[in-house]
Amino acid sequence: MDKFKAKNFIIIVLLLMDAILLALIGADMARSASSRRAALEGAVDVLEENGISVAGEMELPEGPVYVYSTARDERLERQHVDALLGESEYTDLGGSIITYYALDGSGEATFRGVGGIQVRLGGRSAGDVADAEAEARQMAADLGIEVLSGSGTAQVNMSGDGGSVVLFCAHEGVLIANCRLVFTFGGDSVVIEGTRPLDTVSPSGEAELLDAPTSLMRFLELLRERGQVCSEIRSFTLAYFFTATAAGDGTLEPVWRIVTDTGDFYLNAITGASVDNVG
């Protein structure tokens, strides 16, 4: 009986210790969250003192993020081209530029090592606005290119059977800021032009995100350096920026996308450096 009581006493003590530890961890997390909120509110106050209000939601992932390596895979590339053009043959033009020709003469596609593509297809009518967007999304899928999905994620400018659809490339649902596809419809043909993030994407390492308050202050500094102005930040979200070499390899790096009333701004989400040349 004494052994039974002693065993129960030890169990109770261990449970109490676990409860105390959990309470301490919870209190520490609450203090950290409170500190982050206070820092963010302080940054927002500084922006408001400089005439910039923060109207949108800040979608802020926590913890490390991946930097990705991308690579051209000509075998996959040819499979995707055949899915769009049908059976094809190709000519290597040198300089990591390959042009594919549909055997039935219905179209051709040129792919570059840095991610650029240009496709011309015959026998493709756009139909109405909804049909044009659906047709563009299907062609992107045939090419193996992930694009942002959901309502409002495409720019559609159609009139009759002519016009354009712009789709924005993504990785796992996150915008790639400088990769997009423009589908231009006219008559019974379509031209596709743009940049894709190559064929394969794989993690190359983890990195810690620059926190939101520091990024917002860097954004304010950037405005001052350039003599630019804005009066409202409408959203602050994570995106990727694509870079590549002619050899057919590249990277996807995380960036903060800051949407304002005067345009979009991008900061490297790891270093805080300004990211330019985002089309």
Side-chain angles (χ1 to χ4, degrees):
M1 187 68 177
D2 289 341
K3 289 182 179 179
F4 180 76
K5 289 181 178 180
K7 182 178 179 181
N8 285 345
F9 177 76
I10 292 171
I11 292 172
I12 292 170
V13 169
L14 291 174
L15 289 173
L16 287 172
M17 290 178 65
D18 286 343
I20 292 170
L21 181 60
L22 287 172
L24 290 173
I25 292 173
D28 184 61
M29 291 176 64
R31 283 193 298 270
S32 296
S34 177
S35 177
R36 288 195 299 271
R37 284 196 300 272
L40 183 57
E41 289 169 0
V44 170
D45 288 342
V46 172
L47 288 170
E48 289 179 346
E49 290 171 3
N50 284 269
I52 304 172
S53 63
V54 179
E57 291 296 323
M58 293 192 177
E59 301 175 18
L60 309 176
E62 295 184 0
V65 294
Y66 282 112
V67 175
Y68 292 92
S69 295
T70 69
R72 187 179 192 179
D73 184 325
E74 292 183 11
R75 180 184 60 83
L76 285 176
E77 183 176 289
R78 289 166 190 164
Q79 289 178 2
H80 295 145
V81 168
D82 285 348
L84 184 65
L85 296 182
E87 191 175 357
S88 65
E89 59 184 6
Y90 70 92
T91 300
D92 189 335
L93 303 177
S96 294
I97 303 172
I98 298 176
T99 296
Y100 301 85
Y101 303 92
L103 293 183
D104 62 6
S106 62
E108 64 181 60
T110 298
F111 284 67
R112 290 172 169 78
V114 292
I117 68 170
Q118 184 176 49
V119 180
R120 293 198 305 274
L121 283 172
R124 297 291 182 107
S125 60
D128 60 21
V129 171
D131 289 341
E133 181 178 342
E135 182 77 4
R137 289 187 180 280
Q138 182 57 57
M139 286 187 280
D142 288 343
L143 289 170
I145 302 172
E146 181 186 351
V147 294
L148 288 180
S149 61
S151 177
T153 58
Q155 293 179 355
V156 182
N157 182 21
M158 297 295 299
S159 177
D161 64 352
S164 65
V165 176
V166 181
L167 299 180
F168 299 89
C169 299
H171 175 63
E172 297 182 344
V174 178
L175 171 72
I176 302 174
N178 58 333
C179 289
R180 65 192 63 182
L181 302 175
V182 181
F183 300 78
T184 304
F185 294 91
D188 290 328
S189 66
V190 61
V191 173
I192 309 169
E193 296 178 293
T195 302
R196 65 185 183 123
L198 302 178
D199 300 291
T200 63
V201 179
S202 56
S204 61
E206 285 187 339
E208 289 293 331
L209 285 171
L210 195 66
D211 61 56
T214 303
S215 299
L216 288 172
M217 292 301 93
R218 175 66 187 116
F219 167 66
L220 180 59
E221 180 184 351
L222 178 65
L223 289 179
R224 290 171 174 169
E225 288 174 356
R226 297 183 173 182
Q228 295 175 295
V229 295
C230 76
S231 60
E232 181 183 64
I233 293 177
R234 295 175 175 170
S235 67
F236 186 101
T237 56
L238 190 68
Y240 291 107
F241 186 80
F242 171 65
T243 57
T245 69
D249 52 56
T251 59
L252 288 177
E253 288 191 285
V255 296
W256 290 123
R257 182 191 183 204
I258 306 171
V259 178
T260 78
D261 58 318
T262 59
D264 296 359
F265 295 82
Y266 294 88
L267 297 177
N268 186 296
I270 300 169
T271 67
S274 173
V275 177
D276 299 315
N277 301 319
V278 179

